[in-house]
Amino acid sequence: MTAQTFRQISAHNLRTFRRNYVSEISGSLGDLGTFLPIAIALAINGTVSLSSTLIFSGLFNILTGLFFGIPLPVQPMKAIAAVAIARSFNNGTIAAAGIFVGACIFVFSVTGLLHWFADVIPIPVIKGIQVGAGLSLVIASCGNILSSLGWVGPSWADNRIWAIAAFVFLVITNVYRKVPYALVVFILGIIFAIIRSALVADLPSLAFWHPYTVVPTPGQWSVGALDAGIGQIPLTTLNSIVAVVHLAGDLIPNVRTPSVTSIGLSVAAMNLVGCWFGAMPVCHGSGGLAAQYRFGARSGSSVIFLGLLKLVIGIFFGESLVGLLKRFPSALLGVMVIAAGLELVSVGESLNTTGARDIMKASFGILGDARQDIAPMLSDADRKRRWTVMMVTVGLLVGFKNDAIGFLAGMLCHVGYELPGLWEKVRNRWNEGRVRLQ
């Protein structure tokens, strides 16, 4: 990055925050519905340090906001977190998993494999991964977070009534977009959590961060890398790097879109540094970007604000926050996750319009005008094929709860549609060769 580019990004961040500081602050909280539940679950089990997680994720928030100028999230590596929670990993094992994935992504980035990977994946498959990730968030929220709620339980501050109220408020803010939904809901949830903590005398106290290092043993390296790390690699590559780059270009076209290589190096650096200090393995994610955009974030200033907030809280309160965050209402968190998922699902709408990057390039090249609703070079059959590839990707991803399976299914479907054309080209070239030989 040149000094001039850095100055341009900084000016954009500052200008956007001055004009829309309420929206930027609200947007910065949009991804907490994903971040908080996983971070709390891992901290309660002693798998990660909550203070180190807050401090290092806060630092990474600040750096990504400064260097990329977009509301790029820093969120948990979900595949690693799921295995770590289910099997009660210790801090050495989860650190090994995060470092292993970070090292693999670093190699992919510096060798150019990530860039090649992004170039060869068809747009319908990428959008299928995004839509599938969005649906997975909605399903996870309804099945794991909201389904356990009763009409008046588990407490006066956390029940179906509050979930319905939060959803109605979400519907209203879909019309009145300037209302800072995430900010209002987060403040309400914190107030409820403080009241519930005060009733049982479990309020946070000053607890300064005491840094320590985690050095995995050979056994922890083996379990972390093989049992959790390998499964995370396709998810990180597809959803946290390739899909993020495309989504950033779709949602925030007025800001320079980061390259696949730069996002890959960012993911690698975060885990090659933070995991050694007991922090949770993290990545960027299209779901988090969609969530922060949905709630008002339009520049890097939003995540810089969030990073500063995490730093202060992590340094001065740290582990004493676990009890408070446990009492944050699931009803409110669940609806925030649903909102993030629906925003991500909506990107599939542009599959067959000039909002899709491959069509947009073709439109500019042929017509010099990409402002039409439907690209004229697509026939009804082309649109149906693209839609089918996307939905195959979505269906298998959601059905198996695995990004890699969805990706492979979408690619097979795409290749199946391309085979007749490839065969025709091969036959024509063969015939041309035979003519020349005569």
Side-chain angles (χ1 to χ4, degrees):
M1 173 184 290
T2 65
Q4 182 180 1
T5 302
F6 183 77
R7 286 195 297 269
Q8 289 173 346
I9 291 174
S10 299
H12 168 72
N13 287 339
L14 187 58
R15 182 171 61 251
T16 305
F17 191 80
R18 283 177 174 174
R19 292 177 178 175
N20 304 292
Y21 62 91
V22 174
S23 295
E24 292 294 303
I25 293 173
S26 176
S28 72
L29 307 174
D31 193 38
L32 292 181
T34 301
F35 183 89
L36 286 181
I38 295 177
I40 293 169
L42 292 173
I44 291 172
N45 292 340
T47 305
V48 302
S49 163
L50 181 61
S51 54
S52 293
T53 295
L54 289 171
I55 289 168
F56 280 98
S57 66
L59 284 172
F60 301 145
N61 276 134
I62 294 170
L63 292 174
T64 54
L66 288 173
F67 284 97
F68 295 126
I70 60 175
L72 196 62
V74 174
Q75 55 183 200
M77 286 190 171
K78 298 179 185 65
I80 289 178
V83 176
I85 293 169
R87 297 178 53 178
S88 299
F89 276 3
N90 54 34
N91 52 13
T93 306
I94 197 172
I99 294 166
F100 171 75
V101 174
C104 291
I105 297 300
F106 177 78
V107 172
F108 295 164
S109 300
V110 297
T111 59
L113 284 175
L114 274 180
H115 196 275
W116 173 84
F117 197 56
D119 286 340
V120 299
I121 301 175
I123 293 296
V125 175
I126 291 175
K127 287 192 176 290
I129 293 167
Q130 293 171 332
V131 173
L135 287 176
S136 297
L137 286 176
V138 175
I139 293 169
S141 175
C142 295
N144 301 334
I145 301 177
L146 298 178
S147 63
S148 61
L149 300 177
W151 285 106
V152 292
S155 81
W156 60 270
D158 192 13
N159 50 57
R160 290 182 185 175
I161 295 174
W162 280 113
I164 292 172
F167 187 77
V168 170
F169 185 39
L170 175 65
V171 172
I172 293 172
T173 56
N174 276 329
V175 179
Y176 302 99
R177 288 265 178 167
K178 291 186 177 181
V179 178
Y181 177 86
L183 183 59
V184 172
V185 172
F186 180 74
I187 290 175
L188 181 64
I190 286 293
I191 292 172
F192 284 175
I194 291 173
I195 293 173
R196 293 172 68 188
S197 296
L199 292 175
V200 294
D202 189 24
L203 287 170
S205 58
L206 282 175
F208 292 99
W209 179 49
H210 297 287
Y212 63 91
T213 56
V214 176
V215 181
T217 64
Q220 291 170 343
W221 280 113
S222 175
V223 174
L226 296 178
D227 293 3
I230 289 178
Q232 180 68 49
I233 290 174
L235 177 61
T236 296
T237 304
L238 297 171
N239 186 50
S240 301
I241 300 175
V242 177
V244 160
V245 171
H246 283 266
L247 186 64
D250 291 339
L251 295 181
I252 315 173
N254 61 315
V255 181
R256 179 175 172 269
T257 302
S259 68
V260 169
T261 300
S262 63
I263 295 294
L265 289 173
S266 175
V267 171
M270 289 191 297
N271 293 284
L272 291 175
V273 174
C275 292
W276 294 104
F277 296 90
M280 176 176 63
V282 292
C283 59
H284 305 304
S286 57
L289 175 58
Q292 292 175 166
Y293 181 88
R294 164 63 183 84
F295 294 126
R298 297 294 184 272
S299 75
S301 63
S302 60
V303 289
I304 292 172
F305 171 84
L306 178 62
L308 292 171
L309 186 64
K310 285 181 179 178
L311 271 178
V312 172
I313 294 174
I315 291 172
F316 293 104
F317 296 97
E319 309 303 326
S320 71
L321 284 170
V322 173
L324 176 67
L325 295 179
K326 280 175 59 180
R327 296 181 178 89
F328 193 98
S330 297
L332 305 184
L333 272 179
V335 177
M336 290 175 71
V337 173
I338 288 175
L342 293 177
E343 185 68 27
L344 193 52
V345 167
S346 68
V347 304
E349 180 187 7
S350 64
L351 173 68
N352 289 326
T353 72
T354 50
R357 287 193 164 194
D358 52 346
I359 298 177
M360 182 173 65
K361 290 178 181 178
S363 296
F364 273 114
I366 297 172
L367 303 173
D369 182 5
R371 294 176 296 177
Q372 302 174 45
D373 292 332
I374 300 295
M377 72 288 300
L378 287 183
S379 65
D380 289 340
D382 288 333
R383 289 195 288 271
K384 184 176 181 179
R385 282 195 292 268
R386 290 167 65 88
W387 179 260
T388 301
V389 172
M390 183 181 79
M391 293 312 298
V392 166
T393 306
V394 171
L396 274 293
L397 187 156
V398 173
F400 284 94
K401 299 180 181 178
N402 189 306
D403 285 48
I405 292 177
F407 166 73
L408 290 175
M411 289 298 295
L412 285 173
C413 184
H414 172 77
V415 171
Y417 279 127
E418 294 293 317
L419 280 178
L422 291 174
W423 171 246
E424 187 68 25
K425 289 180 180 179
V426 170
R427 190 173 63 178
N428 289 339
R429 289 183 179 179
W430 172 259
N431 291 334
E432 290 172 1
R434 286 172 55 188
V435 170
R436 283 195 298 270
L437 288 174
Q438 294 175 352

